[in-house]
Amino acid sequence: MRIPPFNPYIAVVTGVIAGSTSAILVKLANQAPAAIIANYRLLLAVILMAPVVLLKYRHEFKYIQGKDWLLSVMAGIFLAFHFIVWFESLDYTSVASSVVLVTLQPIFAFLGTYLFFKERFSYGAIISMIIALLGSVIISWGDFQISGVALFGDMLALLGAVLVTGYLLVGQQVRKRLSLMTYTFVVYGISSVTLIVYNLIGQNPFFGYPADHWLVFLGLAIFPTFFGHTLFNWALKWLSTATISMGVVFEPVGASILAYFILGETVTSSQWLGGTIVLVGLFLFIMSTTKKRKVTLSRKHSNTERSYMD
């Protein structure tokens, strides 16, 4: 394997920081509906990707079969609604609670593989899942004591984790036959169309937002999408899935710190306790499933793409 052009660990750290900005940027666009924010994040990402895909990867489109298109459409719909409900959750609950709960996606992903692909869990994985879910209960209970509205936001964030799991499980077969760039371009495009239809039905205005909101939309397309998602997948060439997954677990920490300095949000004692338990559970879960992942998934086609969407 050739020497990387720069240290992949720096790429992971950069990706964590970039990914941590997602929830903050959504909060800053407080005059736009969640579906509009999601729409422009994906639409602008597609526009930015189009020149590269059409110049370098257009030959791959002829390999996309009818079944692949169907699965891609399903994956795109799941991804669109993941962004809708997760962005919506930020209107009701704090950045800390929302980002920690949506980061539970690996748990839902492995539950999905158990239900649909009959994969078995080790005792360590089961115990770590219970620990992580216990932490989410502590967060939700603390938020419920503050406000029932905050609890509703927590439930939306958990639903967002479930929907992004659906996106991954449905699209993983197509992802094996296409490059990351082509697959992402197709799914983002389908998600964008889904969100346009959703916004038309909901009569959400596409224009008329403050100038700073358009900078936020562009920032979402660039920072968490390309500097987060893309850098993580680039680093997979040199680092293990577990290493990058553990890096992603730090995104809630980064998001909470940014929320404190930019939005003035504080972290409650239940969020500290529950969030710490969730992150410990996720660390243990990743470590307990690393061996199985290396056996069942190749590094190139790893499902680590998952929560890099957030």
Side-chain angles (χ1 to χ4, degrees):
M1 185 175 293
R2 64 188 180 85
I3 299 174
F6 61 93
N7 192 322
Y9 288 101
I10 294 177
V12 172
V13 172
T14 303
V16 169
I17 295 171
S20 300
T21 65
S22 184
I24 310 302
L25 291 170
V26 172
K27 283 270 195 178
L28 290 174
N30 54 15
Q31 295 185 41
I36 287 291
I37 301 173
N39 199 159
Y40 280 119
R41 170 178 176 168
L42 291 170
L43 181 60
L44 291 173
V46 168
I47 293 171
L48 292 171
M49 293 172 67
V52 176
V53 172
L54 295 178
L55 287 174
K56 291 188 63 177
Y57 299 94
R58 64 179 183 274
H59 64 280
E60 291 189 12
F61 285 91
K62 63 184 178 182
Y63 300 119
I64 305 178
Q65 303 171 0
K67 182 181 178 181
D68 293 336
W69 281 113
L70 176 61
L71 292 173
S72 296
V73 168
M74 292 173 63
I77 292 172
F78 273 120
L79 182 61
F81 282 92
H82 155 71
F83 280 127
I84 290 172
V85 299
W86 181 49
F87 288 0
E88 191 75 32
S89 77
L90 292 162
D91 287 336
Y92 299 96
T93 192
S94 68
V95 168
S97 293
S98 180
V99 179
V100 166
L101 293 172
V102 85
T103 305
L104 284 169
Q105 182 273 327
I107 305 296
F108 292 112
F110 266 75
L111 289 174
T113 59
Y114 172 77
L115 292 173
F116 296 107
F117 303 110
K118 306 302 180 184
E119 282 200 28
R120 295 185 177 182
F121 296 104
S122 66
Y123 288 115
I126 294 172
I127 293 171
S128 59
M129 280 192 288
I130 293 172
I131 292 172
L133 293 174
L134 174 62
S136 70
V137 170
I138 293 173
I139 292 172
S140 299
W141 178 251
D143 285 349
F144 175 70
Q145 291 181 313
I146 297 172
S147 164
V149 171
L151 178 62
F152 177 67
D154 292 348
M155 296 303 102
L156 287 176
L158 283 172
L159 179 57
V162 173
L163 287 168
V164 78
T165 300
Y167 151 73
L168 289 165
L169 294 178
V170 169
Q172 65 180 354
Q173 294 302 315
V174 184
R175 173 67 184 88
K176 292 177 181 179
R177 291 188 283 273
L178 298 174
S179 67
L180 174 67
M181 182 67 75
T182 302
Y183 173 72
T184 303
F185 180 78
V186 168
V187 174
Y188 280 12
I190 292 168
S191 289
S192 297
V193 172
T194 302
L195 287 162
I196 288 171
V197 173
Y198 180 91
N199 284 308
L200 287 172
I201 294 173
Q203 298 184 335
N204 292 324
F206 287 90
F207 303 102
Y209 300 106
D212 61 346
H213 278 42
W214 294 99
L215 293 176
V216 168
F217 300 154
L218 183 61
L220 281 165
I222 293 174
F223 293 106
T225 305
F226 293 122
F227 284 100
H229 173 81
T230 304
L231 279 178
F232 284 136
N233 283 282
W234 174 85
L236 273 174
K237 297 177 183 178
W238 291 279
L239 301 178
S240 70
T241 298
T243 299
I244 295 176
S245 297
M246 288 179 182
V248 173
V249 169
F250 281 103
E251 282 191 10
V253 178
S256 298
I257 293 172
L258 290 175
Y260 175 79
F261 285 105
I262 297 174
L263 304 175
E265 288 191 3
T266 57
V267 180
T268 65
S269 57
S270 62
Q271 289 170 337
W272 274 113
L273 176 61
T276 301
I277 292 174
V278 168
L279 297 184
V280 169
L282 286 172
F283 268 115
L284 295 174
F285 180 80
I286 291 166
M287 294 180 67
S288 65
T289 57
T290 298
K291 186 175 182 180
K292 179 174 284 189
R293 287 188 181 196
K294 288 182 178 179
V295 172
T296 58
L297 298 173
S298 69
R299 182 172 298 179
K300 182 178 179 181
H301 298 131
S302 168
N303 282 348
T304 306
E305 185 181 355
R306 52 166 183 72
S307 54
Y308 308 159
M309 306 305 306
D310 299 330

